[in-house]
Every structure is written in C-alpha cells, then in structure tokens.
Amino acid sequence: AVANYTLAHTKGRLLLLGLLPRGDGSRKLHRLCPPRCSDDGTPFSSFMPAVDKVNDALREFVGPELKGIYGESRVRYVDCG
C-alpha cells in the first residue's frame, strides 16, 4: 500500500529492499515460542523461512504489479541475500 501510494503521488522512483537474514535465531527463537512455534510445537530453528517468504512476496509484488502499473524505470527490487 505504501509503495503504491508513493508511486501514485510522486514523480520519483522507488527502491524496495529485501530483508536480510538474521544470525541470532538460535538465541531468540526459543523465547518467541509460544506463540511463534513450528507445527510440532517446538521453536523454529531459523528466521530464514520467514525472510524467504517476505522476500518472495516482495519480488512478486514488484514484478508484475508495480512495474506493470508504473513502468520498469520507476520501481526496482534489490535482494542482497
């Protein structure tokens, strides 16, 4: 919604950055469970599945949707992972 609004109401360009992976999953994830647990009730072992899910959604949104409406030159997606 923010990306769409920004492109619709400005003449500028937009660069969307993919999430970078975290390296502290082994220390943090056990404290998030519950409620953030795997299907078997144990803590997740990594943030990577969530990071990949968000980055895949951003990539799909930028490609056909935003570039289709605003053109190739106004919006880009960058993933450093």
Side-chain angles (χ1 to χ4, degrees):
V2 174
N4 229 340
Y5 181 87
T6 301
L7 289 166
H9 292 88
T10 67
K11 293 180 182 179
R13 297 177 181 164
L14 183 66
L15 179 65
L16 293 171
L17 304 174
L19 295 178
L20 293 174
R22 294 178 61 140
D24 59 352
S26 61
R27 293 190 320 264
K28 303 264 184 188
L29 286 168
H30 70 279
R31 289 186 264 163
L32 299 175
C33 179
R36 304 286 184 251
C37 305
S38 63
D39 290 338
D40 63 2
T42 60
F44 290 110
S45 59
S46 171
F47 284 107
M48 280 311 297
V51 169
D52 289 339
K53 185 176 181 178
V54 170
N55 287 345
D56 289 345
L58 277 173
R59 199 175 300 111
E60 287 180 26
F61 178 65
V62 168
E65 185 144 345
L66 290 180
K67 286 184 179 179
I69 297 169
Y70 301 104
E72 291 273 334
S73 64
R74 292 202 56 211
V75 62
R76 300 280 181 180
Y77 171 79
V78 176
D79 185 353
C80 299

